[in-house]
Amino acid sequence: MLEKTFNPSAVESKLYPEWEQSGVFTPALKGDKPNFTIMMPPPNVTGSLHMGHALNHTLQDIIVRWKRMKGMDVLWLPGTDHASIATQMLVERKLEKEGIFRKKIGRDEFLKHVWKWKELHGGAIVHQLRRLGVSPDWSRERFTMDDGLSDAVKKVFIDLYKKKLAFKDKRLVNWDPILLTAVSDLEVNNVETKGTMWQIRYPMENGGYITVATTRPETMLGDTGIAVHPEDERYKDLIGQYAILPFVGRKIPIVADEHSDPEKGTGCVKITPAHDFNDFEVGKRHNLPAIDIFDERARLNENTPEPFRGMDRFAARKLILEQLEADGLLVGAEEITHALPYSERSEVILEPRLTEQWYVDAHTLAQPAIKVVEDGRIKLVPENWENTYFQWLRNIQPWCISRQLWWGHRIPAWYGPDKHVFVADDEQEAQAQAEKHYGKTVTLVQDEDVFDTWFSAALWPFSTLGWPEKSVELEKCYPGDLLITGHDIIFFWVVRMVMMGMEFMGDIPFRTVYFTALVRDEKGQKMSKTKGNVIDPLEFMDLYGTDALRFSLASLAGTGRNLNFSKSQVEGYRNFATKLWNAARFCEHHQCKLDPDFNPESAQLAINKWIVAEVQKLGQDVVKQLENYRFDEACAALYQFIWGQFCDWYVEFTKPIFFGENTIEQTETRAVAAWTLGQILHLLHPFMPFVTEELWQDLSGGKKLISSAWPAYASTGEKLYKDKDAQEGIQWLIKVISEIRAVRADMNVPASAQLPLYYAEGNELVSKRLTAYGEVLCKMARISTIENAGAPEGMVPVLVDQDTFLLQIGEVVDLKEEKQRLSSKLKDIQKEILQLDGKLKQPDFVNKAPADVVEKNQLRLAEAQLQQQKLETALARLQSA
RNA sequence: GGGCGCUUAGCUCAGCGGGAGAGCGCUACGUUGACAUCGUAGAGGCCACUGGUUCAAUCCCAGUAGCGCCCACCA
């Protein structure tokens, strides 16, 4: 017996462990069953479930459940990412609160704390994912710092190093002065900020001044040149001369460089090679030294004079400006807005800093990655992401993979006393290399840094399958079939997986990438903690059930880049689950039981033939939409069918039968209703796994829906069952009932009144249908009797197709009301006739438009004219009454 | 500066060459025995603007305006 109402949380907490323990999530990877592989984008271990996770895991689970029901051997491999910066920050802060400081306790001790934290709290997100009802193979769960995955990282780096695709280089990086590490270009947020452009005079060696413009006066202490445009007439004479740098007294040359834009500022650019990306390039071109004036915390260092030495960069800026002002060297200040580079993690302004880091030659690796998308071997969905993908890869810069952090994969590089580098699997091997190199034993020091988290994430499609060892998983599941992820990590992750897959597996990591939209609030704003508009998916699951949340997200997963999430939608889909639940209760109440031997296509009654055909149509539609990743359309089809067809009409059609006496009809209808409900549950299961599983177990006597077979007819191209008479008959019936209801409402007939209906036009088909469907028509349209006879005076016409029915609405027909109703109907019809007639009278239309379009218009015109005639007749009768 | 996208009912969004759609919200009315987390009916739209292509444009093309995102740059 089904409970009176669906209780999502009780059902969820009961079913999920049942599924997980049954082993259905784990693929056999044996025999020749076709398999399907999808890798879960590993969430950060520090993460907690947000709407973005909820969206992309829901979509993954829909595909996975569907493929599994189709009989495929599905590997959905889950896991988490060690997220070096985020995790290190989190644990470090936590420890600081306890009075424990990272630098004090040292690397090994600190890492012990991180691992401990990871064991205790790292699983949070994985448990929250379970609440979403997702069905990955938890037995194969991976963590990016597992031994096997760490081996893969090492091997990849060593190989890249041997191929000279990984190398050490000294260049400018974006330096985070709070986290004390380099970050990649992608981790920089450029934020529009108000600032000031100052103009500063530098005295010339030979007298006079040159005026430069800058937004960062403090960097002048590191200036080693001034650039002017080679064709700028104003400064031509100065090229080759020297200016004297205030405070420092350094002689700096005036050089000619295209970088200088005569239109901007004063046309003279101060060059600080160590602290500006453009200046670095200019410096290289003119052999200007790069003088580093900051320490790791962006304080002025020993290369700067007193009183600035040791000051913070912003304090120094203030003091320098004051001094310049006092010295009469500050000659202008202009308010401007410019974009400043903020660190994504620490939200501090980044400092370009000259350091030695490890880089990967991304340009070389990018070429095959470009090709496989060009060739269509990897399909991006929606397709327009290709532009973004190509644009970035074609302009790719070397990828800085080292981070000055402790938590992560430590770089397997050792240095000899003379800084000679030995890249090796372990210290022993490095020693061996060193001995060969030096001819004696030396003390080696391992690189202090770890790899960028994305470096290990890039290997996820094969490192998780056991690579570099050979394994069944690797054999069967690479390349994968699908990746579903947010478009915000296309560069961070997707392109890098393709690059690494091509380089190390010689093959693509996946065939299709589906990019999800970004979840925003109902006003389209980005969710952020500071705005306070973050929606917690767990809260919605508690309130409305997981199924409702999943269905909402899938319904909203259209083709757009944003997905505006609103509460009322979830509520609506909670109601949808309730609706289904109640329909199932109705079936149960009327003893609709599944009969495995029953062939639905053998049904005799029109309503049964009709619903069988309709549900099959639905199945094909759902599959078509799923194949195109149109989750929204699949949801719409399911919702419309279940509520708008099955509940609104079919269930109502069965009532006269269930409350009647005909046991033969009852038997058939019970079987068809049960079968149809079963089909609905199958088709809906990937989207709403819990309510469907619960109902199916009830309907089927304990069978599991998650491991049931997907309906055979529901594959595109399969021939569908059809019964034309039944289809058309039921469609007609629905039209008649709707029309009568509309007239009744229009005429303010009390809902409880049972009215007689007259039909006297003698259309044989109509008479036949009235006989066949009379009972249900009466019940649903509140008709007392159907008279196959002429109508008494003063009746209200009901027009359906070419036929007029007359409805007797009681003693008093409000003539005025009725006249108005008919007149406005007539007006609509006349307008339509005018339009159609005009169109059909144009020779160009008749000659040039396709024949079927012309014919359709002619038919519509004929129908409209007939309706017009009927309406006019009815109105005339009204006038005479 | 380069690229991508959006503008359709009060709200959130589908549709994308031949009759303007859905959900939510709103209004009126509620009858039997699945369901008030419901039922029935209804109101509500120059499909941003201007041109062009076409027999036909919400849909294709060009431009304009507004909004959003990504990338690069800003001494």
Side-chain angles (χ1 to χ4, degrees), chain A residues 122 648 834:
Chain A
D648 285 352
L834 217 66

Side-chain angles (χ1 to χ4, degrees), chain A residues 239-398:
Chain A
I239 296 169
Q241 295 193 31
Y242 290 86
I244 306 295
L245 191 60
F247 308 122
V248 183
R250 185 162 51 236
K251 260 174 64 176
I252 58 174
I254 316 295
V255 299
D257 196 280
E258 305 266 332
H259 164 63
S260 174
D261 182 350
E263 305 290 313
K264 274 188 194 161
T266 61
C268 305
V269 195
K270 64 192 246 346
I271 301 298
T272 321
H275 299 290
D276 181 281
F277 289 94
N278 284 314
D279 292 5
F280 185 69
E281 296 302 318
V282 176
K284 270 207 291 202
R285 286 199 284 271
H286 300 279
N287 281 319
L288 303 175
I291 300 174
D292 189 352
I293 60 162
F294 294 121
D295 68 8
E296 57 175 13
R297 295 181 195 276
R299 290 175 306 212
L300 296 183
N301 67 11
E302 67 283 0
N303 293 330
T304 60
E306 292 296 351
F308 309 114
R309 193 177 297 173
M311 287 181 83
D312 174 76
R313 53 188 164 162
F314 299 114
R317 175 183 299 176
K318 208 172 147 235
L319 187 59
I320 281 179
L321 286 168
E322 283 168 16
Q323 294 273 344
L324 288 170
E325 176 92 73
D327 297 346
L329 295 174
L330 188 62
V331 293
E334 186 195 350
E335 297 296 307
I336 54 155
T337 51
H338 56 160
L340 292 180
Y342 283 83
S343 167
E344 196 175 57
R345 290 285 165 196
S346 66
E347 292 175 348
V348 69
I349 295 177
L350 292 166
E351 195 58 57
R353 186 160 189 243
L354 198 55
T355 56
E356 237 189 319
Q357 303 283 347
W358 285 97
Y359 290 89
V360 164
D361 176 0
H363 178 78
T364 300
L365 295 178
Q367 303 318 310
I370 294 171
K371 193 148 188 306
V372 290
V373 173
E374 276 175 347
D375 293 350
R377 289 180 60 202
I378 295 182
K379 215 176 95 194
L380 306 187
V381 183
E383 216 175 27
N384 48 325
W385 285 108
E386 285 183 6
N387 277 324
T388 311
Y389 180 93
F390 289 137
Q391 202 194 331
W392 194 74
L393 278 177
R394 285 178 184 143
N395 299 302
I396 198 163
Q397 298 299 310

Side-chain angles (χ1 to χ4, degrees), chain A residues 4 122 129 226 246 330 381 387 445 506 606-607 712 747 842 863:
Chain A
K4 180 137 197 317
L129 280 173
I226 292 172
L330 188 62
V381 183
N387 277 324
V445 181
I607 57 159
M747 302 305 296
Q842 283 177 29
E863 242 170 68

Side-chain angles (χ1 to χ4, degrees), chain A residues 193-213:
Chain A
T193 314
K194 281 209 169 102
T196 311
M197 175 84 80
W198 286 280
Q199 295 195 355
I200 301 167
R201 289 205 300 193
Y202 288 3
M204 293 297 294
E205 189 186 25
N206 302 330
Y209 293 98
I210 185 167
T211 307
V212 299

